Amino acid sequence: MRNSSLNTSQEIIYKTKVWSDSPIHEAFSIKFFTDTNLLVYLVDHTYPNLNNFIAILNSVGFTRVISSQYVMFEFVGVRKREHYLRVVADNSQKTPDGKINFGSLIKYQNKYDAPNVVFEDSILLVKKEVDNELESIIRDYNIDYTYSSLHQDQLSPTFDICLSFKNG
């Protein structure tokens, strides 16, 4: 039986009995699947309680947080667009009170051809940001995204292609 207690930082700590301290067999773990949107919310810290929930799941010995390679393909495309639009927003002309015309910004969301940002000049920064987020998904959130029928060696080259071309 698990005992739960609250420590001084208000985090929940789950402790197992001494006789059950050995790692829990994979067949007895509960898997929580994260889709593209959840991963985006995690890396952006959109919903702090989602980040807290994933941290709790990772602290419990009988749960696994997983995703799939297909979700990661989608994630790379979504984050490429997000980071490109951030570069465009940073380089957009602002109104006298410092605001951006988002109506103008949105029309470049899938074309990657904003007049104030040359795609080829911004893609290295975008790629770096997306690569950091991919590493964060594994390192910070302990999400295993090997669930899929895709060959593992397809991921990196496909990510590189997606992040190198406007239509990728």
Side-chain angles (χ1 to χ4, degrees):
M1 216 52 203
R2 276 178 328 296
N3 296 325
S4 63
S5 61
L6 231 42
N7 69 14
T8 56
S9 66
Q10 298 299 316
E11 293 178 10
I12 298 175
I13 298 178
Y14 296 93
K15 297 189 182 219
T16 56
K17 296 287 186 183
V18 176
W19 54 264
S20 66
D21 276 346
S22 61
I24 300 193
H25 190 278
E26 179 76 18
F28 294 106
S29 65
I30 300 169
K31 293 179 178 78
F32 289 86
F33 186 83
T34 54
D35 69 2
T36 307
N37 291 331
L38 288 176
L39 294 177
V40 167
Y41 298 151
L42 276 173
V43 298
D44 274 345
H45 299 272
T46 306
Y47 302 105
N49 283 334
L50 174 62
N51 293 72
N52 295 339
F53 179 66
I54 296 298
I56 290 169
L57 291 178
N58 280 319
S59 72
V60 177
F62 60 88
T63 60
R64 306 287 181 266
V65 184
I66 64 168
S67 196
S68 71
Q69 293 168 342
Y70 183 79
V71 165
M72 298 314 286
F73 282 132
E74 287 183 331
F75 177 84
V76 167
V78 168
R79 299 312 288 172
K80 170 186 168 184
R81 179 176 46 232
E82 175 71 23
H83 289 295
Y84 176 76
L85 288 175
R86 288 178 181 177
V87 171
V88 172
D90 288 345
N91 291 286
S92 292
Q93 186 172 356
K94 316 278 189 294
T95 63
D97 58 348
K99 295 182 181 176
I100 296 173
N101 181 335
F102 284 101
S104 296
L105 182 68
I106 288 173
K107 68 183 174 183
Y108 302 113
Q109 71 177 345
N110 293 319
K111 297 178 186 175
Y112 302 98
D113 62 356
N116 57 331
V117 175
V118 177
F119 177 80
E120 290 76 14
D121 294 343
S122 64
I123 195 58
L124 288 178
L125 174 63
V126 170
K127 183 179 182 342
K128 179 182 174 194
E129 293 292 330
V130 174
D131 286 342
N132 288 340
E133 290 173 344
L134 288 170
E135 290 175 20
S136 174
I137 287 171
I138 297 167
R139 180 189 62 241
D140 301 335
Y141 303 109
N142 195 30
I143 296 175
D144 177 4
Y145 61 84
T146 59
Y147 291 85
S148 152
S149 60
L150 300 173
H151 191 277
Q152 188 66 25
D153 291 337
Q154 292 175 316
L155 285 177
S156 183
T158 304
F159 292 167
D160 288 342
I161 290 169
C162 177
L163 293 171
S164 298
F165 298 99
K166 289 182 181 182
N167 296 331

